[in-house]
Amino acid sequence: MTAQTPSVPLAFQTGTGGILLWVVLPYVCLAVFVLGHVWRYRYDKFGWTTRSSQLYERRLLRIGSPLFHFGILVVLLGHIGGLVIPESWTDAAGISEDVYHVAAVVLGTIAGVATVGGLVILVFRRRTVGPVFSATTRNDKAMYVSLTLTIGLGLAATVAANIAGGGYDYRQTVSPWFRSIFLLQPDPDLMTGVPVLFQLHALSAMLLFAFWPFTRLVHMLTAPLGYLTRPYVVYRSRDTRLGARAPRRGWERTGV
Amino acid sequence: MRVMAQMAMVMNLDKCIGCHTCSVTCKQAWTNRTGVEYVWFNNVETRPGQGHPRRYEDQATWKGGWELNRRGRLALKAGGRFKKLIEIFSNPVLPTLDDYYEPWTYDYETLTNAPLQEHTPVARPKSLISGKDMKITWSANWDDDLGGSAATSERDVLLNQVSEKIRLEFEQTFMFYLPRICEHCLNPSCAASCPSGAIYKRSEDGIVLVDQDRCRGWRMCVTGCPYKKVYFNHRTGKAEKCTFCFPRVEVGLPTVCSETCVGRLRYIGLVLYDADRVLEAAATPDETGLYEAQRQVFLDPHDPRVAAHAEQAGIPWDWIEAARRSPVYALINTYKVALPLHPEYRTLPMVWYIPPLSPVVDAVRGTGRDAEDHGTLFAAVDALRIPVDYLAQLFTAGDPAPVDAVLRRLAAMRSYMRDINLGRAPDAAIPEAVGMGEEQMYDMYRLLALAKYDERYVIPPAHAEQAHELEESVTECSLDYEGGPGMGGSGPFGETSGGAAPIAVENYRALRDRQTSDAPAAPTDKATRVNLLNWDGKGKPPGLFPPAEDGAEDGYRDGAADGGRGGGRGGDKGGAS
Ligand code: SF4
Ligand code: SF4
């Protein structure tokens, strides 16, 4: 990353396909993710909800939902650790690649099993409990497919790399590529030699993030952490805005 | 002292005939939509009975409201902030639809579509949740009028707390109705339970509302409310609750449930209270002390010091005036006949109840004695422990003394007024026996028995008068509410996603003008547009009917002469055009 080749020769090295997949697509997905959320928040605050189905069914949800959610939170932390923190930092902190790898595999396996187990229970519940199924929209189904695919590919990549291949250090390739996107110096070369399952996982994840703002997954972005610090009872003044819509320009109230 | 104003309600249970009109009109106004079929912002329970949802009073199971922790501080019974966030993925104590009931409709189509057959076709119940045939086993008032109570009465939470003997005898002993809405508590545990902070208490009038745009469907409020008056809309994924009909109250109209109450037993008015003392009162160590503690939080609006503080706090003068005329304050603090529902939940509820004397009167009458005589009634209040203990479980955390005192006052009023109504000399000893003056007793009688609309509902309008003129011009289409003709059904992200729907389908101010004027009125002061939604049969708005022909002064006679054409006009009360 230090000696950046100018962006034009890149095309020769990785091919147009590589640029499309590892430069254009990530930025498009990122833009859709961010702008999509902004747009959704402005246009559809009312639709911004978990759409919980606990009212219909409690027993399966009680096991599946915490399993999945806590699992995926650990997975998220793991991804942050693996993708965002450069290997040189952990080296500097005295954590060798072997130690890191073992820790990641152990933690990742537990979290992965919990996530997939939870997901299986939740999907089973969604399909078999009548009311839950009839409350499932097409959008939900697409989201479930995309989510399951991403998780499945991620798990497959890890399993394949660790069991069949004896470990793959994605922190040499995928992670720098991931960071290069955010450093605005995209380096598609890094991704070309990556095992295909990792590539597919990254691609499906990008597509999932592009789809994210338009699904019920938006609830993640409003995780209510403010609850820990706010006063218990919220007082609010009667809306000064009357009627359900913002007044048209030129019709705003004066005074008050 | 930090003065705040609270819109509050008192219901006189003696007058409730259990007709459910309030529930039905409320439902038509607020929850007549998909996703909230099982929701009753207002429901009327027969007591003894289980209520809606079933056994909601069993806080050992449902964990609603507040409790005192070991250090004597207030804590949410279902667990504090951290526990809530940990449990957010699956709320462990959320009632399911089974605890409410599975809503249904009937398959009416078969009645008209069925082919000719030997047996009459029947309309089968169809679940509104799964769309399948279902067997109806419960509803919001399944045990209405003690129906089936032989099988279910042992599940009344309060009966389990009073003695065995009562449980066996209650059916012969008493029954009454308990209409319930959200209590708009001073210390709302629903709001405290909401992780998103979407539930708020309005600082002007204390109405507790769910901000539909900020609710994320975490469902903790449903658990938090001990009265189970927050409901989860299973289609939109948002919590909904009684709104105290705020669009009506803001223009000075009573809530729909009060407006339509057949027994005219509801009173609405303002109460001023000291916000600084709320938490202290809610943390009263002894549960039976909560009733008195809450009463101490209320401020006397006649006290000039209170008025001065209220003015400092920005409460408008007409609101302070209204607080002085408030029937709610009078019933709670002057006559001391109203009691809070389940004060032991420590939310400081603001819908209070005058407990029913009728179980006592009925019992006395059943023995053949004079049920209007105060001596007999007093003795009966003392002797009839069963209803008194049960009422105490409801209203005073089990302490019979305040219930006794209220019932004695009501009994005294009954016999005192009988003398007056029969033209006999009123007996000053009767009010005295319950610590009241003659005049005060008469005033109480007036308020309980005779009070007219504007005495029962003392509701100062919100200070936004000029804005309501604007509202009409900025609301784009009054038919854009859900299910309305202007609405396209589901949005792209699930039920009713997309822009918010306006609350006011019609202009409430116009409604109030019409209801308070005696003349059958079509609005004359503005360009009228015919709106069948708010045409109430009074008058004949221009443009609603085809213009009458010249000389047709009397539509009815005209109609008699010409049956075909006059049919439509006959219904028009013969109004001249
Ligand atoms: S009664 Fe109403 S204000 Fe009180 S806790 Fe329940 S929902 Fe909240
Ligand atoms: S309308 Fe009035 S009388 Fe009828 S059930 Fe409701 S509160 Fe009781």
Side-chain angles (χ1 to χ4, degrees):
Chain A
M1 230 184 299
T2 37
Q4 267 298 318
T5 31
S7 60
V8 184
L10 270 182
F12 302 124
Q13 288 161 17
T14 56
T16 326
I19 300 239
L20 278 181
L21 286 184
W22 308 117
V23 178
V24 177
L25 188 67
Y27 282 116
V28 169
C29 291
L30 198 67
V32 173
F33 183 80
V34 173
L35 296 178
H37 272 103
V38 172
W39 171 81
R40 176 97 187 257
Y41 192 76
R42 295 180 54 144
Y43 165 73
D44 186 33
K45 277 203 201 90
F46 184 59
W48 195 295
T49 154
T50 57
R51 307 234 347 266
S52 163
S53 56
Q54 190 177 356
L55 203 65
Y56 301 134
E57 200 279 342
R58 183 163 49 182
R59 275 185 22 258
L60 284 172
L61 186 87
R62 182 100 185 83
I63 310 166
S65 175
L67 210 56
F68 170 77
H69 281 98
F70 285 120
I72 199 94
L73 280 178
V74 175
V75 169
L76 178 76
L77 286 180
H79 276 71
I80 292 176
L83 292 177
V84 178
I85 300 175
E87 192 161 2
S88 54
W89 293 16
T90 46
D91 283 348
I95 306 169
S96 75
E97 165 61 18
D98 284 342
V99 174
Y100 178 89
H101 189 74
V102 170
V105 167
V106 170
L107 214 68
T109 311
I110 300 174
V113 167
T115 310
V116 172
L119 190 65
V120 167
I121 297 178
L122 290 181
V123 172
F124 171 78
R125 168 178 179 272
R126 204 150 267 283
R127 187 61 197 84
T128 53
V129 178
V132 182
F133 187 56
S134 45
T136 308
T137 61
R138 268 210 303 273
N139 183 310
D140 290 344
K141 288 175 194 162
M143 184 275 288
Y144 268 98
V145 168
S146 162
L147 188 66
T148 314
L149 192 72
T150 307
I151 294 176
L153 283 170
L155 206 67
T158 315
V159 169
N162 281 301
I163 294 178
Y168 174 72
D169 189 5
Y170 52 83
R171 295 206 296 165
Q172 303 280 6
T173 51
V174 184
S175 306
W177 164 76
F178 180 81
R179 289 194 296 272
S180 76
I181 298 287
F182 288 91
L183 295 174
L184 300 182
Q185 295 172 335
D187 187 355
D189 278 347
L190 290 166
M191 284 305 282
T192 43
V194 170
V196 70
L197 279 172
F198 279 100
Q199 288 190 345
L200 288 178
H201 174 61
L203 287 177
S204 70
M206 284 191 279
L207 293 178
L208 175 65
F209 282 118
F211 188 33
W212 197 287
F214 313 102
T215 64
R216 60 202 290 183
L217 295 179
V218 288
H219 71 265
M220 186 207 69
L221 235 67
T222 45
L225 295 175
Y227 185 49
L228 291 173
T229 50
R230 72 142 220 262
Y232 262 141
V233 177
V234 180
Y235 287 89
R236 249 168 75 179
S237 193
R238 207 164 66 79
D239 265 349
T240 39
R241 195 185 101 194
L242 290 146
R245 293 179 176 83
R248 264 185 282 136
R249 236 160 62 83
W251 288 96
E252 296 92 350
R253 294 174 66 195
T254 54
V256 186
Chain B
M1 186 190 303
R2 191 157 57 92
V3 185
M4 290 185 86
Q6 169 79 38
M7 201 54 85
M9 188 185 284
V10 167
M11 302 192 211
N12 183 359
L13 295 185
D14 253 334
K15 292 191 182 179
C16 181
I17 58 172
C19 63
H20 299 274
T21 305
C22 46
S23 307
V24 171
T25 49
C26 171
K27 189 146 189 59
Q28 289 294 349
W30 289 106
T31 57
N32 189 8
R33 293 167 284 135
T34 51
V36 283
E37 306 92 346
Y38 75 102
V39 170
W40 296 86
F41 289 168
N42 183 108
N43 73 311
V44 184
E45 301 167 1
T46 302
R47 304 314 299 253
Q50 299 188 45
H52 178 66
R54 257 174 279 180
R55 292 174 58 79
Y56 68 91
E57 286 156 309
D58 180 6
Q59 301 310 340
T61 306
W62 298 122
K63 306 236 186 302
W66 304 86
E67 63 184 2
L68 294 185
N69 62 16
R70 258 175 277 115
R71 282 170 296 145
R73 301 255 300 273
L74 274 182
L76 286 171
K77 205 174 178 111
R81 304 166 197 269
F82 201 69
K83 185 147 179 269
K84 285 236 154 56
L85 289 193
I86 294 288
E87 287 174 342
I88 206 162
F89 303 125
S90 160
N91 182 347
V93 282
L94 186 78
T96 55
L97 263 186
D98 296 334
D99 296 297
Y100 298 94
Y101 65 98
E102 186 169 351
W104 71 89
T105 182
Y106 291 94
D107 173 20
Y108 294 108
E109 235 189 343
T110 49
L111 295 184
T112 50
N113 283 355
L116 188 61
Q117 52 189 295
E118 189 186 342
H119 301 291
T120 317
V122 290
R124 278 181 208 286
K126 293 263 185 212
S127 164
L128 283 172
I129 301 294
S130 63
K132 306 235 166 61
D133 281 341
M134 66 174 278
K135 197 165 171 286
I136 302 166
T137 52
W138 195 263
S139 78
N141 58 336
W142 198 249
D143 50 359
D144 210 18
D145 289 346
L146 299 181
S149 62
T152 58
S153 67
E154 82 283 359
R155 309 201 58 212
D156 177 304
V157 177
L158 301 188
L159 276 181
N160 290 341
Q161 284 161 18
V162 289
S163 78
E164 184 71 15
K165 180 171 140 281
I166 297 173
R167 272 200 274 153
L168 297 175
E169 285 181 7
F170 84 90
E171 217 170 330
Q172 296 95 36
T173 316
F174 71 107
M175 175 191 101
F176 62 93
Y177 302 103
L178 181 72
R180 293 201 305 125
I181 63 172
C182 161
E183 298 279 345
H184 297 277
C185 308
L186 295 186
N187 183 29
S189 52
C190 58
S193 306
C194 172
S196 318
I199 302 189
Y200 60 99
K201 194 165 175 66
R202 293 213 298 192
S203 35
E204 288 87 354
D205 50 17
I207 295 176
V208 177
L209 294 172
V210 184
D211 183 335
Q212 292 289 307
D213 277 351
R214 294 184 67 182
C215 172
R216 307 278 173 244
W218 303 119
R219 325 174 286 294
M220 292 299 168
C221 50
V222 181
T223 306
C225 173
Y227 303 91
K228 290 290 166 279
K229 277 296 174 189
V230 190
Y231 299 86
F232 189 71
N233 181 326
H234 58 89
R235 293 296 290 278
T236 63
K238 303 256 168 169
E240 295 190 20
K241 65 178 287 300
C242 158
T243 62
F244 214 83
C245 292
F246 70 91
R248 293 174 57 97
V249 166
E250 279 174 12
V251 297
L253 284 167
T255 63
V256 167
C257 55
S258 308
E259 172 95 67
T260 58
C261 174
V262 170
R264 301 187 177 189
L265 55 91
R266 299 188 184 219
Y267 298 82
I268 296 179
L270 278 179
V271 175
L272 300 183
Y273 70 99
D274 184 355
D276 285 338
R277 296 213 318 252
V278 165
L279 288 183
E280 187 194 322
T284 306
D286 186 8
E287 285 188 349
T288 52
L290 279 160
Y291 157 59
E292 201 48 46
Q294 185 171 359
R295 243 170 32 78
Q296 296 308 323
V297 173
F298 302 148
L299 298 169
D300 180 359
H302 303 280
D303 181 344
R305 218 170 55 90
V306 169
H309 273 102
E311 223 166 352
Q312 265 170 28
I315 297 176
W317 187 248
D318 59 335
W319 278 51
I320 301 173
E321 251 329 288
R324 291 186 177 145
R325 289 186 294 120
S326 164
V328 170
Y329 180 81
L331 293 169
I332 291 177
N333 261 359
T334 315
Y335 307 128
K336 296 202 189 73
V337 287
L339 300 172
L341 181 66
H342 288 305
E344 71 273 21
Y345 299 159
R346 299 183 183 274
T347 60
L348 303 196
M350 286 309 293
V351 174
W352 287 39
Y353 294 88
I354 303 177
L357 183 66
S358 48
V360 176
V361 173
D362 290 347
V364 171
R365 198 175 282 130
T367 64
R369 270 182 277 237
D370 179 2
E372 319 281 325
D373 179 76
H374 69 280
T376 323
L377 281 174
F378 286 176
V381 170
D382 287 339
L384 287 173
R385 298 321 307 170
I386 299 172
V388 175
D389 281 351
Y390 188 89
L391 292 172
Q393 293 286 348
L394 266 185
F395 298 122
T396 54
D399 179 11
V403 177
D404 262 353
V406 172
L407 293 184
R408 282 163 164 274
R409 288 192 163 196
L410 296 176
M413 183 182 83
R414 207 178 152 86
S415 40
Y416 178 73
M417 287 313 300
R418 176 173 67 167
D419 286 340
I420 294 182
N421 288 337
L422 293 180
R424 297 197 290 233
D427 179 359
I430 301 178
E432 214 186 291
V434 292
M436 293 175 87
E438 281 193 84
E439 199 176 333
Q440 202 188 17
M441 177 139 286
Y442 188 79
D443 286 345
M444 177 166 94
Y445 163 76
R446 261 196 57 81
L447 186 56
L448 289 183
L450 306 178
K452 290 277 178 288
Y453 194 88
D454 54 352
E455 291 168 82
R456 279 182 281 132
Y457 311 126
V458 181
I459 305 169
H463 279 254
E465 281 88 352
Q466 85 280 30
H468 278 274
E469 306 293 332
L470 273 179
E471 190 178 18
E472 257 189 345
S473 57
V474 297
T475 312
E476 280 141 45
C477 171
S478 64
L479 297 178
D480 275 359
Y481 61 98
E482 202 229 336
M487 190 77 180
S490 271
F493 310 119
E495 193 74 12
T496 65
S497 59
I503 302 147
V505 175
E506 61 173 325
N507 183 324
Y508 286 98
R509 184 157 284 265
L511 176 64
R512 197 211 30 195
D513 290 347
R514 227 176 34 246
Q515 280 183 336
T516 46
S517 77
D518 292 328
T524 49
D525 55 340
K526 56 177 93 169
T528 29
R529 116 193 115 156
V530 180
N531 180 351
L532 284 177
L533 278 178
N534 58 23
W535 183 61
D536 59 0
K538 281 185 181 178
K540 195 168 91 172
L544 185 58
F545 298 102
E549 276 157 38
D550 285 331
E553 285 232 329
D554 185 336
Y556 193 70
R557 212 175 32 209
D558 192 43
D562 179 355
R565 181 170 48 104
R569 289 250 220 71
D572 162 32
K573 295 178 191 160
S577 47

